[in-house]
Amino acid sequence: MRWRLESLRALLADNLSRLPRRAWLTIKYRGLGQFLLRALTFPLRLTPLGRRIAPDRLPPTGSSEARGWYRGNWRPVTVVIPSFGPPETTVDAVKAVRRTSDPKKVRVIVVDDASPAPFGEQLRDALEGKAEVILAGENRGFAANANRGMRAAAEDHDVVLLNSDVIARPGWLEALQHAAYGADEVAIVGPRLLYPDRTIQSAGTVRNLGAPDWFDHRYRFKPAGHGPANIGGPTLAVTGACIYAKRTALDRIGLLDERYGMAYEDVDWCLRAWEAGMLVLYDPRSTLIHHEARTRGMEQGERELDSQRLFWERWGDWFDVREVRTTEGRLRIAYVTEDTGVGGGHRVAFEHLNRLAARGHECELYSLGGPPDWFDLQVPVRTFETYGELAEALAEVDGIKVATWWNTAAPVWQASVRRGIPVYLVQDIETSYYPDQPRMHAAVLESYREEFRYLTTSTWVADRLRELNLPPTIVAPGVNLETFRELDVPREDRVLLALGRSNPLKDLDLTIEAWRSMGDDGPELWMYGIEPELAEPFGARYFTAPSDSEVCELLNRATALVQTSRHEGFCLPLLEAMAAGTPVVCTDAHGNRDFCRDGENCLMADRDPESVRAALERVFADPELRGRLCAEGTRTASAYGWEARIDELERFLESVAPATAAARA
């Protein structure tokens, strides 16, 4: 009971006793104006209005699930705090641990790395009755000093390695331990660390894209409540400022490598866990404050540079020399889809696989769905019940592994930590599929990990990825010009063709409203797709699940095609219509800007029924206009033949694949 009361007191202290320092930090990092705004609105934040006006609220720590689990399943833990120099910050760190944990379940060991006198004795005196203190006789650096403390931990204890400048918050330990015991294979868990100004210091460790010999913290400097940082899961590594290590991991992978004098020892430890077949996790439910400066010096000392050299001697090939080729030197490629149902994104992925396989590459599809019944996919399909099973099988493949949808990114990334190269084919920024769902937006954006090589289909999507500091390569989808072409069939005079889908992004309602506003003298409406019920209320004619050749015939018979999408990552049906010589009326859907030119190869209407109706009436009333749009449309489509697209795709895949072993020799 006493430690629970202490936890409550700590929570209040975190919000009240630090007000002077928080005021100073707000002025320093946010400016005087933001400080005055917060000061004036502070009384309101104590009312029910507080949720609406409190800026950058600190995310809650712990969770009811973790606390409930911990009460009945807790494991003993030793918290090891390496220390050097003046004792004040270390004393604060120990007090925070004691305020937020039960002393019957948590042992605290502070290890001083031979600080100059009188700091060691001051530390011992200040922590009497609060922690065990080990005063080392020789300064050996962080890794060796941390190992002193971990060796002193009981053999049945898990270990938390905690920096001396980290302040624990209520619920931190329960969340870390709950995550650690969520699966037997978990070895290490790290929390979300915040700077004192409540911006993120670390949410997992990634390789620095701009300086690949170094590692950086994910979401550094983002607000504490940054949505993607609220998504936990596997991560390459976590910072040594706070690491929860299970006893099973310590027994299997050992302690920190003491050859690292400064830096890299934490990443090395995590990579050894991955190599042992275990997992490293990031859990944002555990949040602590790290009193590390936001700006650090750019010059590295000799000990840090020595650690860097040691790390890359050991791990350089592990990162940069991945075997992804067959014995004949061809690429081994696995695409991953969530299912294999009818869809434009699947069509692009399946065309990639078929055409790469035709060029001699070894290609497979990994999916939660069976072989598609609507597309002639000519590569092996491996089907799994769960993503966990899929990732486990894919992890054994030495190849290029391609995620094709945000929900496939995590299993592809995890399956590529030790073997292979992860690629992310982003055909759209998939937050568009989840309007007004911020949690889903966060999950989608979190899937765009820095470790992927990015491939996309349009300039609009590429620009969005660049805004996330993710450099993409654009390879547009192709059109099968042997299938989609002008046929010798009579074209109807008054038929409007539309893709009949209920997906809100397609905005079929706008098409219907514009068509109905044309009145009784308007054209007949035909639709195609897999949702025939959409046509019944309007008396439209619906062609259910037509083959590609049947779609081409529909395009050749129709007077015009209309598509009024709110948003598209590319919009392949418009190109297919152009290839078939069908006039196109569309809206600006972002991804179609690469090939749709208003007044030249299409009419691009504003997003309202009157504008769409006016464009349709122009097309149906003017045969000469239809002829010009058709001629320019077929010229546009001719530049999108699949062979040229696969040339570009093959160059991209070759660029991410290391040279063959023979070439390296």
Side-chain angles (χ1 to χ4, degrees):
M1 177 62 71
R2 180 176 176 274
W3 78 273
R4 290 193 178 93
L5 292 174
E6 283 291 312
S7 295
L8 178 60
R9 190 184 71 80
L11 186 62
L12 293 173
D14 189 60
N15 286 280
L16 296 174
S17 67
R18 298 178 182 273
L19 282 178
R21 177 170 175 78
R22 290 173 66 184
W24 176 80
L25 289 169
T26 299
I27 294 172
K28 180 178 180 181
Y29 292 112
R30 304 288 187 180
L32 182 60
Q34 186 63 227
F35 166 74
L36 292 173
L37 174 64
R38 295 183 183 203
L40 290 171
T41 59
F42 178 77
L44 291 176
R45 285 186 239 156
L46 303 178
T47 73
L49 293 174
R51 289 180 178 271
R52 295 178 178 269
I53 64 173
D56 296 340
R57 286 179 61 89
L58 198 61
T61 56
S63 72
S64 57
E65 181 184 11
R67 288 190 294 271
W69 176 91
Y70 187 80
R71 281 193 293 270
N73 301 278
W74 65 273
R75 310 300 204 271
V77 170
T78 295
V79 177
V80 174
I81 304 178
S83 177
F84 181 80
E88 289 79 11
T89 58
T90 304
V91 172
D92 287 344
V94 171
K95 288 180 178 179
V97 171
R98 284 303 183 207
R99 284 195 303 265
T100 57
S101 64
D102 185 344
K104 296 179 181 178
K105 302 171 183 175
V106 178
R107 179 186 178 196
V108 180
I109 297 177
V110 176
V111 190
D112 181 79
D113 197 18
S115 294
F119 297 142
E121 292 303 323
Q122 290 176 349
L123 182 68
R124 188 197 299 274
D125 293 344
L127 293 180
E128 185 175 358
K130 299 181 180 68
E132 301 170 44
V133 178
I134 299 174
L135 300 180
E138 177 187 1
N139 182 279
R140 297 187 56 202
F142 178 83
N145 195 40
N147 285 350
R148 289 171 178 142
M150 288 192 281
R151 290 191 185 98
E155 293 184 356
D156 62 340
H157 277 216
D158 292 346
V159 168
V160 172
L161 186 59
L162 191 71
N163 267 20
S164 60
D165 57 353
V166 171
I167 300 299
R169 300 181 65 240
W172 71 281
L173 181 59
E174 294 95 319
L176 289 179
Q177 193 170 92
H178 181 238
Y181 285 90
D184 290 342
E185 60 268 26
V186 176
I188 287 170
V189 186
R192 168 171 32 199
L193 294 179
L194 304 179
Y195 288 112
D197 71 346
R198 278 28 180 193
T199 57
I200 293 172
Q201 189 255 336
S202 181
T205 297
V206 295
R207 195 174 182 184
N208 189 320
L209 292 175
D213 286 345
W214 300 93
F215 292 88
D216 202 353
H217 302 297
R218 203 172 188 203
Y219 306 127
R220 185 196 282 265
F221 306 136
K222 295 290 186 182
H226 182 58
N230 293 329
I231 309 297
T235 184
L236 180 70
V238 293
T239 173
C242 182
I243 291 181
Y244 187 107
K246 286 165 67 175
R247 175 53 59 179
T248 52
L250 296 174
D251 292 342
R252 190 181 303 184
I253 67 174
L255 304 180
L256 296 174
D257 188 333
E258 297 182 6
R259 293 176 296 170
Y260 293 101
M262 178 182 292
Y264 291 91
E265 70 286 318
D266 46 5
V267 180
D268 176 273
W269 209 24
C270 292
L271 297 187
R272 283 155 51 199
W274 280 108
E275 275 295 283
M278 306 184 81
L279 294 178
V280 178
L281 302 182
Y282 159 70
D283 192 333
R285 299 174 304 168
S286 178
T287 301
L288 301 89
I289 308 299
H290 190 189
H291 286 266
E292 179 186 71
R294 283 172 56 97
T295 56
R296 300 177 61 184
M298 297 302 293
E299 293 186 9
Q300 289 78 37
E302 194 57 37
R303 284 204 305 177
E304 195 167 1
L305 293 174
D306 285 344
S307 292
Q308 183 187 67
R309 284 188 286 269
L310 172 63
F311 181 89
W312 290 110
E313 285 172 5
R314 178 172 186 176
W315 296 103
D317 284 356
W318 189 89
F319 276 100
D320 297 329
V321 184
R322 299 286 181 97
E323 293 297 339
V324 296
R325 298 180 186 273
T326 66
T327 54
E328 295 79 21
R330 309 305 291 171
L331 294 173
R332 186 178 293 110
I333 304 162
Y335 275 56
V336 178
T337 64
E338 184 155 282
D339 57 53
T340 54
V342 177
H346 286 161
R347 176 184 294 278
V348 171
F350 298 164
E351 289 280 7
H352 284 185
L353 287 168
N354 276 356
R355 293 173 184 276
L356 288 168
R359 295 190 178 194
H361 301 295
E362 184 179 296
C363 299
E364 287 185 302
L365 175 68
Y366 283 61
S367 182
L368 303 188
D373 58 7
W374 60 277
F375 187 95
D376 184 19
L377 184 59
Q378 298 170 11
V379 304
V381 178
R382 300 193 61 184
T383 303
F384 302 87
E385 291 293 326
T386 67
Y387 276 127
E389 295 172 0
L390 185 154
E392 185 176 355
L394 188 60
E396 300 304 312
V397 175
D398 291 316
I400 296 173
K401 306 169 188 183
V402 185
T404 62
W405 170 252
W406 74 269
N407 217 20
T408 67
V412 167
W413 176 85
Q414 187 172 329
S416 306
V417 170
R418 297 175 57 237
R419 299 170 67 174
I421 297 172
V423 167
Y424 201 158
L425 171 58
V426 181
Q427 299 191 60
D428 197 1
I429 303 298
E430 291 142 339
T431 52
S432 61
Y433 290 81
Y434 307 100
D436 304 318
Q437 298 183 57
R439 290 187 179 181
M440 292 304 300
H441 286 199
V444 170
L445 294 174
E446 190 277 336
S447 76
Y448 301 142
R449 306 179 77 115
E450 292 84 347
E451 294 95 339
F452 281 108
R453 317 295 176 89
Y454 282 87
L455 178 67
T456 190
T457 53
S458 71
T459 300
W460 186 90
V461 178
D463 287 344
R464 305 292 80 73
L465 290 172
R466 292 188 189 102
E467 290 169 1
L468 299 171
N469 295 317
L470 302 170
T473 295
I474 301 174
V475 176
V479 178
N480 188 335
L481 298 176
E482 295 178 358
T483 299
F484 291 95
R485 55 192 173 85
E486 293 187 77
L487 303 176
D488 186 18
V489 297
R491 192 175 290 277
E492 302 286 343
D493 292 329
R494 303 290 292 173
V495 168
L496 178 63
L497 183 64
L499 182 63
R501 291 191 60 188
S502 59
N503 184 328
L505 292 178
K506 307 300 179 184
D507 201 1
L508 182 61
D509 288 345
L510 176 56
T511 293
I512 296 297
E513 190 172 353
W515 168 70
R516 295 181 74 173
S517 70
M518 297 175 76
D520 294 338
D521 294 332
E524 182 181 357
L525 179 62
W526 292 0
M527 291 191 280
Y528 68 98
I530 57 174
E531 301 174 85
E533 66 277 6
L534 296 176
E536 295 174 6
F538 315 110
R541 186 175 178 184
Y542 200 97
F543 297 83
T544 304
S547 66
D548 286 353
S549 59
E550 290 169 337
V551 171
C552 181
E553 184 174 347
L554 287 173
L555 290 167
N556 273 269
R557 291 175 60 192
T559 316
L561 176 104
V562 62
Q563 186 147 348
T564 55
S565 299
R566 290 188 175 92
H567 170 75
E568 297 278 357
F570 185 77
C571 203
L572 190 57
L574 300 185
L575 264 183
E576 292 171 344
M578 291 179 184
T582 306
V584 167
V585 174
C586 64
T587 49
D588 179 355
H590 308 125
N592 61 347
R593 295 172 184 172
D594 285 356
F595 62 91
C596 285
R597 298 186 297 277
D598 183 31
E600 296 182 27
N601 60 10
C602 69
L603 293 185
M604 187 175 284
D606 292 337
R607 287 201 44 76
D608 61 79
E610 294 77 16
S611 296
V612 176
R613 183 194 66 205
L616 291 174
E617 288 175 341
R618 283 183 62 195
V619 167
F620 278 92
D622 190 342
E624 185 177 338
L625 172 62
R626 293 201 300 271
R628 291 199 308 271
L629 296 179
C630 289
E632 190 58 35
T634 54
R635 278 193 289 271
T636 298
S638 67
Y640 283 84
W642 264 116
E643 286 307 302
R645 303 283 79 76
I646 298 302
D647 288 343
E648 295 174 354
L649 175 63
E650 199 171 31
R651 284 194 292 271
F652 166 77
L653 294 172
E654 289 285 356
S655 75
V656 305
T660 62
R664 291 195 301 271

